[in-house]
Amino acid sequence: MKHFYAIIFTVVVCVSMSSCTAVSIIKDATTVYEAAAELNDGTMVEGRIHGGNFASGAKKVAIKSDKKKYKIASKDIAVLYLWRKDYPDRKNALVYRDYKYVYKWRGTTRSRDMKPAWMSIEAAGEDLLICGRGKWYGVDKKGGALTITYDRDYGIQYVAAKSGAEYMEYIGSSRTSEKNMRARLLEYLIDDPILCEKLESGEVKATDFDDVADKYRPVNK
């Protein structure tokens, strides 16, 4: 687990929150994405993924190179990159992780384990990773941005992990208001009082994940 986060916190991501709002599904089975899978042991597998949108619940990833076909268990992949051949410099990063849904019930804090799923990396700071989970992922023909198809009732589910954390934790969704997202982050990021002050004052927007991840500095580091 710690190896996984060591890899993730060094990733340079070109995916932004604003680029992940598509709700249409590409059904063209001839769609091909360029792909590279960095495995947990550091091995890199490169090739193409055929068949259009990539399901968040996919337990295996099929990658075809010019010489070989690979079928890799999702749990064995640290980071999966998808891009269009016309935009080789815009590689969209996905990770396959489970997470905990933490909630309050009658004055007590409880959690529920959620099944592993593929997630887009929304923001990666020195000590904080934020990801977004949809139902399907694609790569736009024009510009190469990652597109996320999601359930309108739930939106994109956002989860976070601090450096060295044993698991990721739900922090809200694309349907969560700025006020409620702020409340969740104030509780989750309580170990950084300076950032919490900036969130409370509005200097840092709770939905600006890039800014939140960039500014997060835990006092016990």
Side-chain angles (χ1 to χ4, degrees):
M1 183 65 73
K2 289 183 179 179
H3 172 68
F4 163 73
Y5 289 117
I7 293 174
I8 292 303
F9 282 106
T10 61
V11 171
V12 177
V13 187
C14 64
V15 181
S16 67
M17 190 175 177
S18 62
S19 68
C20 299
T21 57
V23 294
S24 61
I25 299 179
I26 302 170
K27 296 183 178 179
D28 184 358
T30 62
T31 299
V32 178
Y33 300 133
E34 303 299 311
E38 184 173 355
L39 307 187
N40 293 327
D41 63 5
T43 303
M44 186 69 77
V45 176
E46 299 183 22
R48 290 165 295 282
I49 290 178
H50 296 253
N53 278 295
F54 183 75
S56 64
K59 294 182 178 180
K60 292 187 177 181
V61 178
I63 297 178
K64 182 179 180 181
S65 70
D66 292 334
K67 297 182 179 180
K68 189 175 180 180
K69 293 181 180 179
Y70 302 88
K71 201 163 189 178
I72 311 166
S74 294
K75 64 181 179 62
D76 293 332
I77 301 176
V79 189
L80 176 66
Y81 299 94
L82 299 178
W83 69 96
R84 291 277 186 172
K85 65 179 181 179
D86 292 335
Y87 302 96
D89 295 330
R90 187 159 195 179
K91 294 179 173 63
N92 302 287
L94 300 172
V95 294
Y96 184 78
R97 290 289 116 182
D98 55 4
Y99 62 97
K100 290 183 181 292
Y101 181 83
V102 180
Y103 61 99
K104 298 285 187 181
W105 175 255
R106 293 182 177 177
T108 62
T109 300
R110 300 186 179 186
S111 67
R112 185 193 318 157
D113 292 333
M114 308 302 289
K115 293 181 180 180
W118 284 101
M119 310 172 185
S120 65
I121 297 180
E122 297 292 320
E126 183 177 334
D127 295 292
L128 183 65
L129 173 70
I130 300 176
C131 295
R133 177 190 176 180
K135 293 186 71 173
W136 301 85
Y137 303 98
V139 183
D140 188 31
K141 291 180 180 179
K142 299 178 180 179
L146 186 73
T147 60
I148 299 180
T149 302
Y150 55 87
D151 189 315
R152 291 183 184 276
D153 291 333
Y154 298 100
I156 300 171
Q157 306 292 296
Y158 295 117
V159 299
K162 300 172 183 177
S163 180
E166 292 299 320
Y167 59 87
M168 304 195 79
E169 184 175 322
Y170 174 84
I171 58 170
S173 78
S174 56
R175 292 176 57 86
T176 303
S177 67
E178 176 78 22
K179 179 181 178 180
N180 289 337
M181 184 70 78
R182 183 188 306 114
R184 279 189 167 272
L185 287 179
L186 285 173
E187 185 173 349
Y188 182 64
L189 304 176
I190 194 171
D191 54 348
D192 184 352
I194 295 176
L195 177 56
C196 285
E197 286 181 10
K198 292 179 178 180
L199 284 165
E200 287 186 297
S201 69
E203 180 180 342
V204 174
K205 297 294 184 183
T207 50
D208 187 344
F209 294 149
D210 283 321
D211 200 22
V212 171
D214 183 60
K215 286 184 169 62
Y216 172 67
R217 294 293 184 274
V219 293
N220 59 354
K221 181 178 177 181

